[in-house]
């Protein structure tokens, strides 16, 4: 199986550059049946929080590695024992199932920890000339409905993975006062992984256009799903590795500090970061920003207001990939070197997100009001291990607050 996996990867990379017709497959929508009935523990009557983690797991198929070892099994064991128990809902990217039992092992372990509900990327086989999308949503709270789309195929090495979006409608019960019946509302949770870039990134590159095209597909998916599943006042949470670096990478004080800093130099938003938010919300973009010959504006049929929770809460775009540490000598060095390639080790990208949509000021019909109580980058460091963090990416943790309206 390992040899087959490697051959499929090599063949797909070759095909990505030779068969353009295979790069523009229409997205498909399907119902995912790995869900359960409503029910489960209720949050306290005075309100409570649902802790959500989004994490690119960097669990690629066998034989694929960046350096000496990706420590896939050891990292998965650490994640199950030390990180997974701290959350009620977990959204994962690059948790690939192809030619590996790791995803099945994770799901089995998660069920023992109380994650009775899950939605997964569809399994793929050698004859599909593709691997699965690597997405997973694990939940202690009931997933009462779920759907998925597959994006048009990526370009370059991304041609092989059937990337897309998972959607889970999660029931959230808040206990009533003095023994009254719990009120049940819903959280509408999405996770995605889009086209990656390799090397330096310029907004006129073909992979950037393909990534924004996938964002447009994501917006169309929101346009389709939310009117059918969401009631006013119910929160919508978009998570994942969007592969869009929102940092502008302009030094704020170059005469004094010659390296990029996480906070001070992360305030400005990149051109692609602005384009991503415009496309996801349905505003579309000026086609010319992608090049003089581009005609695609990626405009939606309706506007869906979205908020970048990390940027709005922190006031800057935090690094989630390729971070640095600065020694006492004032020299910046890579924060992580075991999993990350040398070319990516100090890029200081902000590419992992939690976006929020809940425009109505009133609570849901169930009388429950939802809000973003907290959000933060979660490095998920791994002390006393041969690897220093759980992935080449940091995670992002959001705490979604739910309370009964007065």
């Amino acid at each position: 199986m390992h040899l087959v996996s490697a051959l499929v990867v090599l063949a797909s990379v070759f095909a990505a550059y030779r068969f353009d017709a295979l790069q523009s497959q229409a997205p498909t929508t399907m119902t995912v049946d790995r869900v359960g009935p409503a029910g489960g523990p209720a949050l306290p009557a005075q309100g409570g929080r649902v802790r959500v983690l989004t994490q690119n797991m960097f669990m690629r198929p066998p034989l694929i590695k960046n350096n000496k070892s990706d420590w896939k099994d050891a990292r998965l064991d650490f994640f199950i024992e030390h990180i997974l128990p701290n959350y009620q809902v977990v959204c994962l990217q690059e948790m690939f199932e192809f030619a590996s039992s790791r995803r099945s092992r994770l799901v089995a372990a998660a069920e023992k920890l109380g994650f009775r509900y899950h939605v997964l990327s569809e399994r793929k086989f050698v004859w599909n000339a593709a691997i699965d999308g690597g997405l997973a949503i694990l939940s202690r709270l009931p997933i009462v409905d779920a759907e998925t789309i597959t994006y048009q195929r990526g370009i370059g090495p991304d041609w092989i993975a059937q990337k897309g979006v998972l959607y889970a409608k999660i029931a959230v019960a808040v206990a009533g006062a003095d023994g009254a019946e719990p009120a049940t509302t819903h959280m509408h949770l999405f996770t995605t992984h889009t086209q990656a870039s390799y090397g330096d990134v310029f907004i006129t590159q073909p992979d950037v256009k393909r990534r924004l095209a996938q964002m447009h597909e994501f917006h169309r998916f929101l346009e389709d799903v939310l009117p059918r599943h969401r009631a006013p006042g119910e929160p919508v949470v978009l998570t994942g590795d969007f592969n869009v670096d929102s940092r502008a990478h302009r030094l704020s004080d170059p005469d004094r500090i010659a390296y990029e800093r996480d906070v001070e130099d992360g305030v400005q938003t990149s051109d692609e970061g602005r384009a991503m938010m415009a496309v996801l919300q349905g505003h579309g973009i000026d086609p010319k920003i992608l090049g003089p010959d581009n005609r695609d504006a990626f405009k939606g049929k309706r506007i869906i207001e979205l908020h970048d929770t990390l940027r709005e809460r922190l006031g800057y775009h935090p690094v989630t990939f390729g971070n640095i540490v600065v020694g006492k000598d004032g020299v910046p060095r890579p924060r992580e070197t075991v999993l990350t390639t040398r070319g990516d080790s100090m890029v200081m990208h902000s590419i992992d997100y939690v976006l929020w949509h809940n425009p109505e000021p009133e609570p849901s019909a169930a009388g429950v009001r939802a809000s973003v109580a907290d959000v933060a980058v979660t490095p998920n460091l791994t002390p006393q291990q041969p690897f220093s963090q759980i992935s080449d990416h940091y995670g992002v943790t959001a705490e979604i607050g739910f309370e009964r309206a007065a």
Side-chain angles (χ1 to χ4, degrees):
M1 287 295 289
H2 291 184
L3 178 59
V4 170
S5 174
L7 290 174
V8 170
V9 171
L10 291 172
S12 65
V13 172
F14 175 77
Y17 293 101
R18 296 296 304 274
F19 301 109
D20 293 340
L22 296 178
Q23 295 181 357
S24 301
Q25 296 181 349
T28 58
T29 304
M30 61 177 290
T31 299
V32 182
D33 60 5
R34 295 184 178 92
V35 297
L43 299 177
Q46 65 271 25
R49 298 181 178 186
V50 175
R51 297 195 80 220
V52 179
L53 171 69
T54 178
Q55 176 72 65
N56 180 315
M57 287 293 289
F58 196 53
M59 290 283 172
R60 298 174 296 177
L63 299 184
I64 303 175
K65 61 183 181 179
N66 284 348
N67 302 308
K68 182 179 179 181
S69 174
D70 280 356
W71 299 97
K72 295 182 180 75
D73 290 321
R75 287 191 294 114
L76 183 58
D77 290 340
F78 189 97
F79 180 81
I80 291 169
E81 182 176 356
H82 298 285
I83 298 174
L84 188 59
N86 299 321
Y87 295 91
Q88 288 150 295
V89 181
V90 172
C91 303
L92 304 177
Q93 306 86 46
E94 289 196 34
M95 190 64 228
F96 291 108
E97 187 272 346
F98 186 85
S100 169
S101 62
R102 293 187 186 97
R103 191 179 77 175
S104 298
R105 182 155 62 89
L106 170 63
V107 169
E111 289 178 351
K112 293 180 180 178
L113 292 171
F115 292 83
R116 297 171 50 208
Y117 308 91
H118 60 268
V119 185
L120 308 171
S121 290
E122 184 181 8
R123 186 179 185 185
K124 297 296 179 180
F125 301 92
V126 173
W127 50 86
N128 297 124
I131 64 175
D132 56 280
L135 300 175
I137 297 175
L138 310 174
S139 179
R140 299 179 191 267
L141 304 177
I143 298 177
V144 297
D145 213 332
E147 295 186 23
T148 184
I149 61 165
T150 300
Y151 292 140
Q152 59 182 292
R153 296 191 85 146
I155 58 178
D158 278 28
W159 186 90
I160 185 64
Q162 294 282 274
K163 291 184 173 183
V165 187
L166 293 184
Y167 161 68
K169 182 177 182 179
I170 299 177
V172 181
V174 180
D178 301 322
E181 286 292 317
T184 299
T185 188
H186 298 94
M187 177 171 63
H188 302 270
L189 183 67
F190 297 80
T191 197
T192 190
H193 190 200
T194 67
Q195 169 75 46
S197 292
Y198 302 90
D200 294 334
V201 181
F202 304 97
I203 199 165
T204 54
Q205 289 174 335
D207 51 349
V208 173
K209 181 176 180 180
R210 180 55 52 90
R211 184 160 51 242
L212 290 176
Q214 292 174 346
M215 295 292 180
H216 183 48
E217 294 177 69
F218 195 170
H219 174 81
R220 294 206 311 259
F221 190 42
L222 295 172
E223 288 182 330
D224 176 46
V225 167
L226 295 183
R228 292 188 287 110
H229 288 292
R230 178 182 179 267
E234 294 183 342
V236 179
V237 183
L238 279 57
T239 72
D241 172 5
F242 290 17
N243 270 318
V244 173
D245 180 19
S246 282
R247 294 173 66 90
H249 300 287
R250 288 192 284 271
L251 302 185
S252 57
D253 192 4
D255 293 333
R256 191 172 65 90
I257 301 176
Y259 56 83
E260 183 175 341
R261 294 170 292 175
D262 185 11
V263 178
E264 294 86 350
D265 301 327
V267 175
Q268 298 184 60
T269 303
S270 67
D271 291 340
E272 190 183 352
R274 288 192 293 270
M276 176 193 78
M277 292 299 293
V279 172
L280 281 175
Q281 293 182 94
H283 297 290
I285 58 172
D286 176 358
K288 299 304 181 184
I289 71 170
L290 299 181
D293 298 326
N294 178 59
R295 300 289 183 269
D296 295 315
F298 303 125
K299 189 174 183 179
K301 294 180 180 179
R302 68 184 185 94
I303 304 301
I304 299 173
E305 178 186 336
L306 294 170
H307 296 270
D308 182 344
T309 61
L310 282 171
R311 177 63 177 83
E312 294 185 9
R313 181 62 57 95
L314 301 177
Y316 66 98
H317 299 287
V319 172
T320 66
F321 177 79
N323 204 0
I324 66 170
V325 290
V326 181
K328 294 180 180 179
D329 57 2
V331 177
R333 295 178 176 85
R335 173 64 185 82
E336 199 284 323
T337 58
V338 176
L339 305 175
T340 310
T341 63
R342 183 175 299 179
D344 288 333
S345 62
M346 299 175 64
V347 293
M348 298 194 73
H349 286 175
S350 184
I351 59 179
D352 301 271
Y353 295 86
V354 173
L355 305 184
W356 174 262
H357 170 78
N358 193 16
E360 298 87 8
E362 68 273 7
S364 68
V368 176
R369 181 174 284 109
S371 62
V372 181
D374 197 12
V375 63
V377 172
T378 310
N380 286 326
L381 304 181
T382 56
Q384 300 180 335
Q385 300 295 320
F387 43 92
S388 60
Q389 56 195 53
I390 202 65
S391 170
D392 58 342
H393 287 244
Y394 290 166
V396 179
T397 295
E399 295 189 1
I400 310 303
F402 294 87
E403 62 179 358
R404 299 289 286 260

